[in-house]
PDB file of all heavy atoms in Angstrom:
ATOM      1  N   PHE A 280      24.913  12.134  29.441  1.00  0.00           N
ATOM      2  CA  PHE A 280      23.537  12.705  29.298  1.00  0.00           C
ATOM      3  C   PHE A 280      23.438  13.191  27.891  1.00  0.00           C
ATOM      4  O   PHE A 280      24.339  13.875  27.393  1.00  0.00           O
ATOM      5  CB  PHE A 280      23.303  13.806  30.301  1.00  0.00           C
ATOM      6  CG  PHE A 280      21.985  14.494  30.140  1.00  0.00           C
ATOM      7  CD1 PHE A 280      20.784  13.880  30.725  1.00  0.00           C
ATOM      8  CD2 PHE A 280      21.786  15.633  29.389  1.00  0.00           C
ATOM      9  CE1 PHE A 280      19.524  14.424  30.584  1.00  0.00           C
ATOM     10  CE2 PHE A 280      20.406  16.237  29.241  1.00  0.00           C
ATOM     11  CZ  PHE A 280      19.439  15.591  29.827  1.00  0.00           C
ATOM     12  N   TYR A 281      22.366  12.745  27.216  1.00  0.00           N
ATOM     13  CA  TYR A 281      22.145  13.283  25.840  1.00  0.00           C
ATOM     14  C   TYR A 281      20.689  13.627  25.696  1.00  0.00           C
ATOM     15  O   TYR A 281      19.832  13.003  26.254  1.00  0.00           O
ATOM     16  CB  TYR A 281      22.659  12.320  24.754  1.00  0.00           C
ATOM     17  CG  TYR A 281      22.204  10.898  25.079  1.00  0.00           C
ATOM     18  CD1 TYR A 281      20.999  10.292  24.616  1.00  0.00           C
ATOM     19  CD2 TYR A 281      22.970  10.071  25.875  1.00  0.00           C
ATOM     20  CE1 TYR A 281      20.691   8.955  24.891  1.00  0.00           C
ATOM     21  CE2 TYR A 281      22.654   8.782  26.196  1.00  0.00           C
ATOM     22  CZ  TYR A 281      21.541   8.228  25.689  1.00  0.00           C
ATOM     23  OH  TYR A 281      21.201   6.920  26.023  1.00  0.00           O
ATOM     24  N   VAL A 282      20.436  14.620  24.953  1.00  0.00           N
ATOM     25  CA  VAL A 282      18.986  15.121  24.891  1.00  0.00           C
ATOM     26  C   VAL A 282      18.684  15.714  23.440  1.00  0.00           C
ATOM     27  O   VAL A 282      19.529  16.244  22.881  1.00  0.00           O
ATOM     28  CB  VAL A 282      18.758  16.183  25.973  1.00  0.00           C
ATOM     29  CG1 VAL A 282      19.733  17.423  25.809  1.00  0.00           C
ATOM     30  CG2 VAL A 282      17.372  16.641  26.062  1.00  0.00           C
ATOM     31  N   SER A 283      17.466  15.536  23.059  1.00  0.00           N
ATOM     32  CA  SER A 283      16.939  16.185  21.864  1.00  0.00           C
ATOM     33  C   SER A 283      15.448  16.413  22.107  1.00  0.00           C
ATOM     34  O   SER A 283      14.874  15.944  23.089  1.00  0.00           O
ATOM     35  CB  SER A 283      17.158  15.326  20.632  1.00  0.00           C
ATOM     36  OG  SER A 283      16.395  14.119  20.719  1.00  0.00           O
ATOM     37  N   GLN A 284      14.785  17.118  21.140  1.00  0.00           N
ATOM     38  CA  GLN A 284      13.370  17.394  21.297  1.00  0.00           C
ATOM     39  C   GLN A 284      12.605  16.650  20.155  1.00  0.00           C
ATOM     40  O   GLN A 284      12.984  16.885  19.005  1.00  0.00           O
ATOM     41  CB  GLN A 284      13.110  18.870  21.391  1.00  0.00           C
ATOM     42  CG  GLN A 284      11.622  19.156  21.717  1.00  0.00           C
ATOM     43  CD  GLN A 284      11.389  20.627  21.979  1.00  0.00           C
ATOM     44  OE1 GLN A 284      12.073  21.545  21.525  1.00  0.00           O
ATOM     45  NE2 GLN A 284      10.306  20.960  22.713  1.00  0.00           N
ATOM     46  N   SER A 285      11.634  15.893  20.499  1.00  0.00           N
ATOM     47  CA  SER A 285      10.884  15.249  19.447  1.00  0.00           C
ATOM     48  C   SER A 285       9.979  16.222  18.774  1.00  0.00           C
ATOM     49  O   SER A 285       9.708  17.302  19.281  1.00  0.00           O
ATOM     50  CB  SER A 285      10.152  14.040  20.059  1.00  0.00           C
ATOM     51  OG  SER A 285       8.898  14.525  20.653  1.00  0.00           O
ATOM     52  N   ASP A 286       9.446  15.765  17.623  1.00  0.00           N
ATOM     53  CA  ASP A 286       8.513  16.604  16.856  1.00  0.00           C
ATOM     54  C   ASP A 286       7.231  16.834  17.615  1.00  0.00           C
ATOM     55  O   ASP A 286       6.534  17.773  17.306  1.00  0.00           O
ATOM     56  CB  ASP A 286       8.381  16.026  15.494  1.00  0.00           C
ATOM     57  CG  ASP A 286       9.558  16.124  14.635  1.00  0.00           C
ATOM     58  OD1 ASP A 286      10.123  17.208  14.470  1.00  0.00           O
ATOM     59  OD2 ASP A 286      10.168  15.054  14.320  1.00  0.00           O
ATOM     60  N   LYS A 287       6.927  15.943  18.565  1.00  0.00           N
ATOM     61  CA  LYS A 287       5.703  16.182  19.429  1.00  0.00           C
ATOM     62  C   LYS A 287       5.971  17.187  20.565  1.00  0.00           C
ATOM     63  O   LYS A 287       5.080  17.482  21.233  1.00  0.00           O
ATOM     64  CB  LYS A 287       5.219  14.797  19.897  1.00  0.00           C
ATOM     65  CG  LYS A 287       4.593  13.982  18.846  1.00  0.00           C
ATOM     66  CD  LYS A 287       3.835  12.775  19.498  1.00  0.00           C
ATOM     67  CE  LYS A 287       4.793  11.765  19.885  1.00  0.00           C
ATOM     68  NZ  LYS A 287       4.168  10.473  20.347  1.00  0.00           N
ATOM     69  N   GLY A 288       7.295  17.511  20.727  1.00  0.00           N
ATOM     70  CA  GLY A 288       7.583  18.483  21.721  1.00  0.00           C
ATOM     71  C   GLY A 288       8.305  17.995  22.959  1.00  0.00           C
ATOM     72  O   GLY A 288       8.727  18.714  23.781  1.00  0.00           O
ATOM     73  N   GLY A 289       8.226  16.678  23.175  1.00  0.00           N
ATOM     74  CA  GLY A 289       8.802  16.121  24.457  1.00  0.00           C
ATOM     75  C   GLY A 289      10.348  16.164  24.275  1.00  0.00           C
ATOM     76  O   GLY A 289      10.919  15.992  23.263  1.00  0.00           O
ATOM     77  N   LEU A 290      11.024  16.403  25.472  1.00  0.00           N
ATOM     78  CA  LEU A 290      12.475  16.257  25.515  1.00  0.00           C
ATOM     79  C   LEU A 290      12.802  14.853  25.714  1.00  0.00           C
ATOM     80  O   LEU A 290      12.307  14.248  26.704  1.00  0.00           O
ATOM     81  CB  LEU A 290      13.054  17.098  26.665  1.00  0.00           C
ATOM     82  CG  LEU A 290      12.917  18.656  26.471  1.00  0.00           C
ATOM     83  CD1 LEU A 290      13.329  19.359  27.764  1.00  0.00           C
ATOM     84  CD2 LEU A 290      13.658  19.183  25.254  1.00  0.00           C
ATOM     85  N   VAL A 291      13.548  14.304  24.760  1.00  0.00           N
ATOM     86  CA  VAL A 291      13.918  12.820  24.823  1.00  0.00           C
ATOM     87  C   VAL A 291      15.355  12.758  25.400  1.00  0.00           C
ATOM     88  O   VAL A 291      16.230  13.435  24.720  1.00  0.00           O
ATOM     89  CB  VAL A 291      13.778  12.207  23.449  1.00  0.00           C
ATOM     90  CG1 VAL A 291      14.110  10.682  23.521  1.00  0.00           C
ATOM     91  CG2 VAL A 291      12.478  12.428  22.849  1.00  0.00           C
ATOM     92  N   PHE A 292      15.581  12.044  26.362  1.00  0.00           N
ATOM     93  CA  PHE A 292      16.962  11.955  26.873  1.00  0.00           C
ATOM     94  C   PHE A 292      17.332  10.690  27.645  1.00  0.00           C
ATOM     95  O   PHE A 292      16.426   9.864  27.832  1.00  0.00           O
ATOM     96  CB  PHE A 292      17.174  13.174  27.869  1.00  0.00           C
ATOM     97  CG  PHE A 292      16.289  13.240  29.027  1.00  0.00           C
ATOM     98  CD1 PHE A 292      16.614  12.644  30.276  1.00  0.00           C
ATOM     99  CD2 PHE A 292      15.024  13.956  28.944  1.00  0.00           C
ATOM    100  CE1 PHE A 292      15.735  12.741  31.311  1.00  0.00           C
ATOM    101  CE2 PHE A 292      14.138  14.073  29.998  1.00  0.00           C
ATOM    102  CZ  PHE A 292      14.503  13.464  31.224  1.00  0.00           C
ATOM    103  N   GLY A 293      18.601  10.485  27.735  1.00  0.00           N
ATOM    104  CA  GLY A 293      19.120   9.254  28.436  1.00  0.00           C
ATOM    105  C   GLY A 293      20.435   9.428  28.952  1.00  0.00           C
ATOM    106  O   GLY A 293      21.055  10.514  28.824  1.00  0.00           O
TER     107      GLY A 293
END
Side-chain angles (χ1 to χ4, degrees):
Chain A
F280 179 81
Y281 43 93
V282 60
S283 63
Q284 188 169 23
S285 80
D286 292 299
K287 284 191 285 187
L290 294 173
V291 182
F292 57 93

